[in-house]
Amino acid sequence: MNKKLENSLLSIWLVSLLATLGSLYFSEIRSYEPCELCWYQRILMYPILLMTTIAYIQKNARIAVTTAVFSCIGGIISLYHYGIQKLDFLADSAPACGRVPCTGQYINMLGFITIPFLAGVAFILIAITSFYMIKVLKGEKQ
């Protein structure tokens, strides 16, 4: 594995680590109970951390295909979740999410930074890096 791929894999690992620690901080330290959509995002983010840890040890850059899939699905969920928090027409038709409403905003920094926004940024960074790695891998095969 060349240095570009190794650094890219390390970047994905770091972003997923920060996202995982951030979600655990909000739920375990700040005692913010996650809504159903937050759980779906966690279900997609936590394995990325585990997969990239193993892939980095094994020097396996091909994990980028899997991280791309997980991050794209997670990004779509984050975008929808952010939309129901910030857009009235989506919030009015938002499904009931159990004990904690998905429209709730535990944090709202600068008027637009919410937890789903932070998760969405992490998923986007991971997706971009994953697609870059896939491109580099294809270039190496030729």
Side-chain angles (χ1 to χ4, degrees):
M1 181 164 65
N2 69 37
K3 202 65 175 167
K4 287 180 184 180
L5 290 172
E6 189 173 340
N7 289 339
S8 297
L9 188 56
L10 189 58
S11 297
I12 292 173
W13 179 83
L14 185 60
V15 170
S16 63
L17 175 67
L18 291 173
T20 299
L21 292 176
S23 74
L24 292 173
Y25 166 77
F26 285 129
S27 64
E28 301 304 317
I29 295 173
R30 300 285 299 267
S31 298
Y32 297 160
E33 186 176 341
C35 71
E36 190 173 328
L37 289 175
C38 287
W39 276 114
Y40 294 147
Q41 291 165 76
R42 287 176 178 211
I43 288 166
L44 291 161
M45 183 60 72
Y46 291 7
I48 293 174
L49 177 61
L50 181 61
M51 289 184 290
T52 54
T53 301
I54 295 167
Y56 189 78
I57 292 167
Q58 294 177 340
K59 304 294 186 210
N60 178 8
R62 292 175 297 168
I63 197 68
V65 174
T66 307
T67 58
V69 171
F70 275 58
S71 60
C72 286
I73 295 168
I76 290 167
I77 295 169
S78 294
L79 181 64
Y80 173 69
H81 192 183
Y82 186 68
I84 65 173
Q85 286 184 333
K86 294 296 183 179
L87 302 172
D88 292 335
F89 72 94
L90 283 177
D92 293 339
S93 63
C97 268
R99 289 181 3 167
V100 179
C102 292
T103 55
Q105 299 178 37
Y106 286 119
I107 65 168
N108 190 4
M109 297 183 286
L110 303 175
F112 70 96
I113 300 173
T114 64
I115 295 171
F117 178 86
L118 295 171
V121 168
F123 282 123
I124 289 168
L125 290 172
I126 292 169
I128 290 169
T129 307
S130 296
F131 287 120
Y132 168 76
M133 289 176 68
I134 292 167
K135 182 180 176 183
V136 170
L137 285 167
K138 283 185 179 180
E140 286 182 353
K141 286 185 179 181
Q142 295 177 353

